[in-house]
Amino acid sequence: MEASTQEATLWICESCGFIYDPAIGDPDGGIPPGTAFEDIPKDWFCPVCGARTSDFRPLEPGEG
């Protein structure tokens, strides 16, 4: 199964369930809206639990 376009892919933190939406970004964390997950700096962390980007995975369609 192919993923949808990367811009539309949501990412979920496996530690706490926070969902990163590229359309929203994380303005409080310095990530402007429209930033693809792949373009997030490696020193960014989950705003809810502090997990690193390596703890996130793509959210499957219909999940969440």
Side-chain angles (χ1 to χ4, degrees), residues 15-64:
S15 296
C16 73
F18 169 78
I19 294 176
Y20 175 79
D21 183 344
I24 298 170
D26 179 24
D28 293 339
I31 308 299
T35 302
F37 190 81
E38 294 81 1
D39 295 333
I40 294 175
K42 294 300 178 199
D43 60 356
W44 178 83
F45 53 86
C46 176
V48 175
C49 73
R52 296 293 179 185
T53 54
S54 60
D55 293 317
F56 282 71
R57 65 170 172 80
L59 189 67
E60 299 298 326
E63 185 181 3

